[in-house]
Amino acid sequence: MRAHNLALVLQTVANSTNQPSRAAVSAATGLTRATVSALVDDLVSGGLLVEVDPPPRTGAGRPAVGLTLTSTGPAGLGLEINVDYLAACVVDLTGAVRQRFVEHADQRPADPAQALAALGALAARARLAAEADGLIVAGAALAVPGLVAGRGLVRVAPNLGWQDIDAVAELHRVPELADLPVTVDNEANLAALGELRVTGGDPTFLYISGEIGIGAGLVLDGELYRGVRGWSGEIGHVTVYPDGRPCRCGSRGCLEQYAGQEALESGEPLAAAALGIALSAVVNLLDVPVIVLGGAYAPIFERLREGIEAELRQRVLTSGLAPVALRPAALGADAAMRGAADAIIRAVREDPAGWLRRSSQRYV
Ligand SMILES: [Zn+2]
């Protein structure tokens, strides 16, 4: 009960547009003033909430002290490895980005251990910089362009050439990360969650992540649909031309061969048409009203838009009744690492009792 109420109070403050007083939290939650006060005391002493002075006020009555999320407490470390870059960011409990590092380098020649060691070094820099800034990194989440099984095992990442790589174990070899909880997820899934949570907005949409490979994250009524084994969203290997170019996956005519980042360089109209064909199939099947274009597509969205829309108009049965809305990703190329960092922050916000327990053990 206490754990549930701690989360309720923390979420109430987090979702407030102003800095609510204890009395306002009591009114919003239906908990008694005394209960709220005790819970707030725990959240303040545990470093999750801070009290802020009320604005000076004239007239009678003492203004109440307000509450807000701390910007020096737990933080999430978001990591991304992709074919041509490594990235790390640290996001604090309020959702603000406090550190951001991006390193452009082709990861394909590196073996998985080398690539993860380089990412680990970047992650260690981000963590140390954040901790020098007063934050406590609560955990890390890694976004990878591939299929992930339980416990951080990357089953296959075709464009990196990875198979059955224990990414968590590799990151834990870096001394500065050895004590840090690390999770791993597909980059398009994390980017879709980033779009959903960081920007608010549509509860149902398809997120398309255009990198060297192409991934998708399907969000239905505010929930990510992962598929039975967590392997949904491989839109890059949807066939757009059955007798087309051979693909790294062993098939032919996959979307990725026409609209992946390398194919984009040689022909945007062809890429837009291929995307439109693949997306039409998704919309016909699932009735998704919004498509968000992220990764390398976000900055060139306006150049792709007309070509994609032409295919959707022609191929989607219901396009005359309700056109599909296309928009660029609000977080741009940072969506996956922001979504990763947000997953860590969200876990703390949803279970503050767990965080308080762990952080008290840390200082015993
Ligand atoms: Zn393929």
Side-chain angles (χ1 to χ4, degrees):
M1 185 59 100
R2 177 177 171 273
H4 172 265
N5 287 342
L6 277 170
L8 181 62
V9 168
L10 187 67
Q11 293 287 12
T12 301
V13 175
N15 296 333
S16 261
T17 49
N18 58 0
Q19 296 172 334
S21 64
R22 293 176 189 224
V25 172
S26 166
T29 56
L31 299 170
T32 67
R33 296 275 289 265
T35 302
V36 166
S37 251
L39 295 167
V40 165
D41 286 344
D42 287 350
L43 292 167
V44 169
S45 67
L48 293 171
L49 289 181
V50 285
E51 296 184 302
V52 285
D53 289 335
R57 202 166 76 176
T58 54
R62 188 164 53 94
V65 171
L67 296 165
T68 188
L69 293 173
T70 177
S71 56
T72 55
L77 176 58
L79 306 176
E80 183 180 4
I81 182 160
N82 224 309
V83 178
D84 53 352
Y85 64 88
L86 303 170
C89 73
V90 176
V91 171
D92 70 22
L93 201 59
T94 72
V97 178
R98 301 287 290 272
Q99 301 291 334
R100 181 182 179 279
F101 296 90
V102 178
E103 212 168 84
H104 292 276
D106 194 336
Q107 300 305 316
R108 284 170 290 193
D111 71 39
Q114 281 175 323
L116 285 163
L119 179 64
L122 202 66
R125 272 170 65 196
R127 183 183 191 185
L128 293 176
E131 293 187 344
D133 204 16
L135 294 164
I136 305 161
V137 174
L142 167 64
V144 295
L147 304 177
V148 180
R151 300 185 181 279
L153 183 71
V154 182
R155 292 301 307 273
V156 58
N159 289 307
L160 287 169
W162 290 12
Q163 207 156 7
D164 292 323
I165 301 301
D166 187 342
V168 174
E170 295 295 339
L171 287 173
H172 276 160
R173 286 183 208 278
V174 178
E176 293 90 341
L177 306 178
D179 63 328
L180 201 64
V182 179
T183 58
V184 185
D185 202 344
N186 173 269
E187 59 96 17
N189 284 348
L190 287 169
L193 287 173
E195 280 292 312
L196 174 72
R197 289 163 170 173
V198 177
T199 68
D202 308 292
T204 295
F205 63 92
L206 182 74
Y207 181 95
I208 304 289
S209 171
E211 305 289 347
I212 302 288
I214 304 171
L218 178 61
V219 175
L220 301 172
D221 295 330
E223 298 287 334
L224 183 70
Y225 177 75
R226 293 174 176 276
V228 171
R229 289 155 302 185
W231 298 344
S232 72
E234 290 302 322
I235 198 170
H237 301 285
V238 164
T239 304
V240 287
Y241 301 112
D243 301 318
R245 299 171 184 166
C247 181
R248 195 182 281 260
C249 74
S251 182
R252 273 188 175 277
C254 293
L255 175 62
E256 190 164 299
Q257 297 307 315
Y258 299 88
Q261 212 171 323
E262 286 174 335
L264 260 184
E265 284 153 22
S266 60
E268 287 177 5
L270 187 63
L275 277 167
I277 291 169
L279 292 172
S280 296
V282 174
V283 175
N284 276 325
L285 188 64
L286 296 174
D287 184 22
V288 177
V290 178
I291 295 168
V292 178
L293 295 183
Y297 299 143
I300 59 167
F301 174 77
E302 285 304 331
R303 301 211 298 269
L304 297 173
R305 178 181 206 141
E306 182 43 45
I308 297 173
E309 284 179 345
E311 296 293 337
L312 291 171
R313 276 196 302 274
Q314 186 191 334
R315 297 176 192 279
V316 173
L317 181 66
T318 55
S319 63
L321 302 173
V324 179
L326 285 183
R327 66 171 174 83
L331 297 176
D334 285 1
M337 71 169 161
R338 288 283 298 278
D342 181 73
I344 302 298
I345 287 306
R346 195 150 292 262
V348 173
R349 279 167 52 162
E350 285 169 359
D351 181 23
W355 166 255
L356 295 178
R357 202 165 50 242
R358 289 201 305 280
S359 59
S360 67
Q361 284 161 358
R362 186 190 302 254
Y363 298 114
V364 163

